[in-house]
Amino acid sequence: MSKINFKPGNMLYPIPAVMVTCGDINGKSNIITVAWTGTICTNPPMVYISVRPGRYSYNIIKNSKEFVINLTTEKLLYATDFSGVRSGRDTDKWKECNITKEAADTVKCPMIKESPVNIECHVTEIKELGSHHMFIADVTAVHADKKYMDENNKFNLNNSKLVTYSHGSYFSLGKKCGTFGFSVKKNSST
């Protein structure tokens, strides 16, 4: 296989495209689409988001030290894209995208009611890394939509038609190819 050597850059795809909410549910709030996000630690539960300092939401998050990560779905795709290309400085993304604010339990930021999972976060550290600053945060609460719970009380998040981002395009999650640990099970069916 022949490969081309690119200059160093970000080529780690696919990645989640999430809508991060910040601000105050009763006052100024915003939605920003973030693809630089992920899990840092399981115990204690910690995540991160990376945001360019020039973004409108940057100072809101920096000053409040809190945000909510809202997972995105096919139904939220327009709002996801719109929230990434329009600035909250001059656009009410809640109104423009017909998104519903919902009160969180541990932070003042609103959650997106239409999202299947909302992750409330409290910033513990800000790392200034260059083009983006990383907000490292403790997860303080997680909300999951009951409609994805089955009769055995198992959460079926994959039924929500989650969306990912890969090299400039959005994709729905496709067919299941395996389950964790399938490679070492005696009966290695997927």
Side-chain angles (χ1 to χ4, degrees), residues 60-118:
I60 297 172
I61 297 169
K62 183 178 179 181
N63 294 332
S64 69
K65 302 257 189 302
E66 58 187 28
F67 58 88
V68 177
I69 296 174
N70 303 273
L71 298 190
T72 58
T73 63
E74 288 179 19
K75 286 183 179 180
L76 289 169
L77 187 56
Y78 177 86
T80 301
D81 187 67
F82 187 88
S83 296
V85 297
R86 294 287 189 232
S87 174
R89 284 184 182 92
D90 45 41
T91 304
D92 181 346
K93 297 176 194 179
W94 299 95
K95 181 179 177 184
E96 291 293 324
C97 296
N98 199 27
I99 298 293
T100 311
K101 291 181 184 181
E102 187 171 45
D105 290 340
T106 65
V107 297
K108 293 177 185 167
C109 320
M111 302 186 306
I112 295 175
K113 183 176 184 174
E114 294 81 2
S115 174
V117 174
N118 317 93

Side-chain angles (χ1 to χ4, degrees), residues 16-160:
V18 300
M19 290 190 288
V20 173
T21 49
C22 56
D24 188 326
I25 192 168
N26 297 315
K28 180 174 68 171
S29 64
N30 193 41
I31 307 167
I32 179 175
T33 300
V34 172
W36 309 131
T37 183
T39 300
I40 295 176
C41 188
T42 302
N43 191 10
M46 297 175 70
V47 295
Y48 78 93
I49 61 170
S50 291
V51 180
R52 287 191 317 266
R55 296 294 297 260
Y56 176 67
S57 295
Y58 176 86
N59 282 323
I60 297 172
I61 297 169
K62 183 178 179 181
N63 294 332
S64 69
K65 302 257 189 302
E66 58 187 28
F67 58 88
V68 177
I69 296 174
N70 303 273
L71 298 190
T72 58
T73 63
E74 288 179 19
K75 286 183 179 180
L76 289 169
L77 187 56
Y78 177 86
T80 301
D81 187 67
F82 187 88
S83 296
V85 297
R86 294 287 189 232
S87 174
R89 284 184 182 92
D90 45 41
T91 304
D92 181 346
K93 297 176 194 179
W94 299 95
K95 181 179 177 184
E96 291 293 324
C97 296
N98 199 27
I99 298 293
T100 311
K101 291 181 184 181
E102 187 171 45
D105 290 340
T106 65
V107 297
K108 293 177 185 167
C109 320
M111 302 186 306
I112 295 175
K113 183 176 184 174
E114 294 81 2
S115 174
V117 174
N118 317 93
I119 305 166
E120 297 182 40
C121 303
H122 177 75
V123 175
T124 59
E125 184 178 352
I126 302 170
K127 296 184 103 25
E128 297 182 10
L129 299 172
S131 64
H132 290 67
H133 293 181
M134 179 186 286
F135 292 94
I136 297 173
D138 288 333
V139 174
T140 56
V142 176
H143 303 266
D145 193 326
K146 290 179 187 178
K147 73 180 174 186
Y148 300 109
M149 300 297 286
D150 68 17
E151 63 278 353
N152 297 320
N153 219 20
K154 180 182 175 196
F155 185 54
N156 293 294
L157 178 59
N158 295 328
N159 293 343
S160 69

